[in-house]
Amino acid sequence: MDEEYWQYWRVFAIGLCVPMVSSIFLVGVLYLIAGSGFLFAFASTCVWPMAGFGFAAYCRVYESDELAQGAIFSGVLGTLMGVFMAYRIVAFYAEGMASFSQ
């Protein structure tokens, strides 16, 4: 692989991992403070996309485009994960209420 492409993929991977790692840390701290519940579910579905898109905007303005592309991809990945987690939370809540009412 050419050195220019290798440099691009390293910077892209950094942009991909920084929002994910920072959001996992923030959600872990929130879990220690608040415990499980609605606030934890909200944070786990919203922090990663916000961190990804915020980091992408910062990188687009002040840093490199490769870093911003990785952060945008991380934000999109976090959004898809958040939508799936929100669907699962609502589905589990509906199943629990249905079994409770019987």
Side-chain angles (χ1 to χ4, degrees):
M1 188 182 278
D2 200 14
E3 181 62 32
E4 181 179 320
Y5 295 119
W6 179 247
Q7 181 67 22
Y8 169 78
W9 286 110
R10 279 192 288 180
V11 173
F12 182 85
I14 290 170
L16 180 68
C17 292
V18 165
M20 181 175 50
V21 170
S22 64
S23 65
I24 288 171
F25 176 75
L26 288 174
V27 168
V29 168
L30 186 65
Y31 179 76
L32 291 175
I33 293 171
S36 62
F38 177 74
L39 189 61
F40 176 69
F42 177 73
S44 61
T45 58
C46 294
V47 170
W48 185 2
M50 290 183 350
F53 292 129
F55 188 61
Y58 174 80
C59 291
R60 185 71 68 182
V61 172
Y62 295 108
E63 298 288 330
S64 67
D65 290 335
E66 294 90 359
L67 201 59
Q69 288 173 354
I72 287 174
F73 186 73
S74 179
V76 168
L77 188 63
T79 302
L80 292 175
M81 188 72 116
V83 167
F84 177 72
M85 286 179 66
Y87 166 74
R88 294 304 298 169
I89 289 168
V90 170
F92 285 146
Y93 180 75
E95 288 175 10
M97 291 305 289
S99 68
F100 180 72
S101 66
Q102 290 180 357

